[in-house]
């Protein structure tokens, strides 16, 4: 029996000695020594000298933590300033400068947020380590420190196990991203080669290269996202699946007209009804095509008005392309003049063809020609047809052609007017022109 003052600590019985297989006196002496050692340690930990030493160590640990936190703050500020300078320098020059100028503020916010998260994580580690060490120095709070330490270690172990367990999925995502990048790069090189003419594919026009590359890139990225979706963190969770279905329903309900325009844009791309720079007439709008996209086509009219036409409307409309044949065969400009029967038609033909040849932008070959499109009651309709390769100057050429027609007929003493006649046969002369010489008969 061991007593400490009036406090009963323990006793050793014969049964205890028999259970241990040792003499009772030896067992009691061993246990007595253990109790005295623990008691001495208990008193030593609560002595004034030990408490002062623990307080000094705790103060030193907290002071060191404060210094480390100050250094982390300085590093965070310097890193944020360095990232800002580097981003601004790349935004001023380089291949990615236009994109960096557009997204400079979001990228800067992302970099600062990442640096702030790293700084907060480092600060949390420093604070928790210093507080844990300080609490472990005092007997009254050592159990709190052990509990907090075990929980933090358990949390870190779980996080490390999660990271290590996700490494195979991360490797698959990296391989998918690398493969997607290589395929897109190969597709871009192929489209550049076809567009430049260094590579020719039978039946595939060079102007299809860039639109096809754009469609292929979208499809490749979408396919990569579909393949990568199960490997994303939480990709198999019902919540994420439900959210993806909800987003898909919203997109399908809200983008019906947009998808119609995209499909029409794809069809128009491969139909090739017009190209950028062509003079076209779409519905009531006549002008030059300045942009083609999957959604809309932009046309600048002759009055310098930009008209934006949805592709779905173009697909169901009547399209006139004045530039399609003008490049090789020439576009025919035509205008009509009406003159009386008293004017010799051969002279009219000569004057109209001469006016056409005087007009800059009218081709001499193929030669202009005149058609007599109507023998009306009091006049004849003469239609002048002249070729030009400059379809984008249609209105200017028509104006110049009309001026030269006026000049030619005025020089010949002929008025461009359509007389009205009353058929009264009272002996007045007829309006039949004189017969041409035999050599000029045609």
């Amino acid at each position: 029996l061991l007593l400490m003052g009036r406090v009963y600590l323990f006793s050793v019985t014969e049964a205890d000695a028999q259970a241990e297989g040792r003499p009772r006196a030896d067992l009691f002496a061993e246990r007595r020594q253990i109790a005295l050692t623990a008691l001495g340690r208990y008193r030593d930990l609560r002595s004034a000298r030990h408490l002062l030493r623990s307080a000094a160590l705790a103060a030193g640990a907290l002071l060191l933590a404060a210094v480390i936190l100050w250094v982390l703050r300085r590093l965070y500020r310097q890193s944020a300033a360095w990232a800002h300078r580097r981003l601004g320098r790349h935004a001023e020059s380089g291949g990615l400068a236009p994109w960096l100028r557009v997204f400079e503020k979001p990228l800067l916010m992302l970099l600062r947020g990442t640096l702030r998260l790293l700084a907060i994580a480092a600060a949390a580690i420093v604070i928790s380590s210093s507080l844990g060490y300080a609490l472990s120095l005092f007997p009254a709070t050592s159990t709190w420190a052990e509990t907090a330490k075990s929980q933090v270690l358990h949390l870190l172990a779980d996080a490390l196990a999660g990271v290590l367990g996700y490494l195979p999925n991360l490797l698959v995502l990296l391989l998918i991203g690398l493969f997607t990048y290589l395929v897109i790069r190969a597709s871009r090189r192929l489209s550049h080669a076809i567009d430049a003419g260094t590579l020719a594919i039978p039946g595939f026009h060079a102007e299809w290269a860039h639109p096809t590359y754009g469609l292929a890139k979208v499809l490749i990225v979408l396919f990569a996202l579909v393949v990568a979706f199960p490997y994303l963190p939480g990709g198999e969770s019902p919540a994420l699946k439900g959210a993806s279905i909800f987003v898909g329903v919203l997109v399908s309900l809200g983008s019906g007209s947009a998808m119609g325009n995209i499909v029409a844009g794809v069809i128009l791309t491969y139909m090739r009804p017009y190209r950028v720079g062509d003079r076209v007439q779409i519905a009531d709008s006549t002008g030059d095509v300045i942009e083609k996209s999957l959604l809309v086509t932009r046309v600048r009219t002759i009055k310098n008005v930009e008209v934006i036409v949805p592709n779905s409307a173009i697909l169901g409309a009547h399209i006139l392309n004045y530039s399609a044949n003008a490049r090789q065969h020439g576009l025919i400009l035509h205008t009509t003049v009406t003159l009386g029967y008293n004017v010799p038609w051969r002279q009219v033909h000569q004057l109209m063809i001469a006016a056409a040849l005087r007009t800059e932008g009218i081709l001499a070959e193929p030669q202009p020609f005149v058609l007599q499109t109507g023998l009306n009651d009091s006049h004849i309709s003469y239609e002048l047809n002249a070729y030009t390769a400059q379809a984008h100057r249609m209105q200017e050429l028509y104006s110049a052609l009309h001026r030269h027609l006026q000049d030619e007929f005025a020089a010949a003493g002929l008025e461009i007017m359509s007389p009205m006649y009353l058929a009264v046969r009272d002996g007045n002369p007829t309006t039949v022109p004189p017969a041409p010489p035999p050599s000029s008969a045609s």
Side-chain angles (χ1 to χ4, degrees):
L1 176 66
L2 180 63
L3 295 175
M4 187 64 64
R6 295 184 179 182
V7 179
Y8 168 79
L9 295 182
F10 67 89
S11 63
V12 177
T13 63
E14 290 294 338
D16 295 334
Q18 292 177 2
E20 291 286 339
R22 299 172 60 187
R24 180 181 177 186
D26 294 344
L27 182 60
F28 176 79
E30 179 183 353
R31 293 186 178 182
R32 178 177 177 275
Q33 185 61 39
I34 294 174
L36 292 176
T37 302
L39 182 61
R41 179 172 177 79
Y42 175 84
R43 289 175 176 176
D44 183 62
L45 290 176
R46 285 158 178 78
S47 64
R49 181 180 59 83
H50 187 274
L51 291 177
L52 289 175
R53 179 175 174 274
S54 299
L57 291 175
L62 294 177
L63 181 61
L64 179 62
V67 172
I68 296 176
L69 291 177
W70 180 80
V71 172
L72 286 175
R73 183 181 180 186
R74 291 291 301 273
L75 288 176
Y76 163 71
R77 290 184 175 180
Q78 293 179 1
S79 301
W82 177 82
H84 190 196
R85 289 194 302 270
R86 293 285 296 181
L87 188 62
R89 189 178 300 115
H90 286 294
E92 293 176 359
S93 62
L96 297 177
W99 293 95
L100 290 178
R101 281 195 293 269
V102 173
F103 298 104
E104 182 176 2
K105 289 185 178 180
L107 287 175
L108 186 59
M109 292 178 61
L110 179 62
L111 287 174
R112 286 181 174 176
T114 303
L115 292 174
R116 186 178 290 111
L117 287 177
L118 293 176
I120 291 174
I125 293 175
V126 171
I127 293 173
S128 61
S129 300
S130 61
L131 288 178
Y133 175 73
L135 292 176
S136 66
L137 295 174
F138 300 96
T141 58
S142 60
T143 55
W144 300 352
E146 291 296 330
T147 303
K149 180 179 178 181
S150 63
Q151 291 181 353
V152 170
L153 291 177
H154 182 69
L155 181 62
L156 291 177
D158 290 343
L160 182 60
V163 171
L164 294 177
Y166 186 71
L167 285 180
N169 290 348
L170 181 61
L171 180 61
V172 173
L173 289 177
L174 292 176
L175 292 176
I176 293 173
L178 178 62
F179 180 75
T180 304
Y181 173 76
L182 294 177
V183 171
I184 291 177
R185 285 291 300 270
S187 302
R188 183 170 61 182
R189 289 183 177 273
L190 181 63
S191 68
H192 288 336
I194 295 175
D195 184 64
T198 57
L199 178 64
I201 299 177
F204 191 89
H205 299 276
E207 63 189 77
W208 290 350
H210 287 303
T212 304
Y213 165 67
L215 292 174
K217 182 168 65 173
V218 172
L219 293 177
I220 291 170
V221 172
L222 290 177
F223 179 75
L225 290 176
V226 171
V227 174
F229 184 82
Y231 299 97
L232 294 175
E236 297 297 332
S237 64
L240 188 57
K241 292 181 180 179
S244 62
I245 295 174
F246 178 70
V247 172
V249 171
L250 289 181
V251 172
S252 61
L253 292 177
S255 61
S257 59
M259 290 303 299
N261 286 326
I262 292 175
V263 173
V266 173
I267 295 174
L268 290 173
T269 297
Y270 294 98
M271 282 176 56
R272 302 171 62 230
Y274 49 80
R275 297 189 299 185
V276 174
D278 284 356
R279 172 61 62 87
V280 298
Q281 179 180 344
I282 302 174
D284 297 331
S285 302
T286 301
D288 299 325
V289 178
I290 60 175
E291 182 185 350
K292 289 170 54 181
S293 66
L294 289 179
L295 291 175
V296 297
T297 297
R298 300 179 187 272
V299 178
R300 180 178 290 120
T301 68
I302 57 177
K303 301 300 183 182
N304 204 29
V305 176
E306 186 174 308
V307 180
I308 303 174
V309 187
N311 286 334
S312 58
I314 297 176
L315 191 61
H318 191 60
I319 304 173
L320 299 180
N321 190 335
Y322 298 104
S323 301
N325 292 324
R327 303 182 186 93
Q328 297 180 353
H329 308 291
L331 171 68
I332 295 180
L333 304 181
H334 56 88
T335 187
T336 300
V337 173
T338 57
L339 295 168
Y341 284 91
N342 60 320
V343 181
W345 63 266
R346 295 175 181 84
Q347 183 182 11
V348 175
H349 285 210
Q350 293 173 359
L351 294 174
M352 296 182 76
I353 291 174
L357 294 177
R358 283 183 57 190
T359 304
E360 182 183 359
I362 297 297
L363 301 176
E365 291 294 336
Q367 187 177 6
F369 60 93
V370 178
L371 299 177
Q372 294 177 209
T373 58
L375 299 176
N376 306 304
D377 292 340
S378 57
H379 59 269
I380 302 173
S381 298
Y382 297 92
E383 182 184 80
L384 172 63
N385 296 268
Y387 291 87
T388 181
Q390 304 175 17
H392 61 282
R393 296 181 57 207
M394 286 176 54
Q395 301 300 321
E396 180 184 347
L397 293 177
Y398 269 123
S399 179
L401 183 59
H402 292 157
R403 292 197 303 269
H404 293 150
L405 283 172
Q406 290 179 280
D407 293 341
E408 290 292 333
F409 277 92
L414 296 177
E415 291 185 293
I416 303 177
M417 59 184 302
S418 301
M420 298 297 294
Y421 294 96
L422 295 176
V424 179
R425 295 306 181 188
D426 55 359
N428 292 326
T430 65
T431 59
V432 178
S439 60
S440 61
S442 60

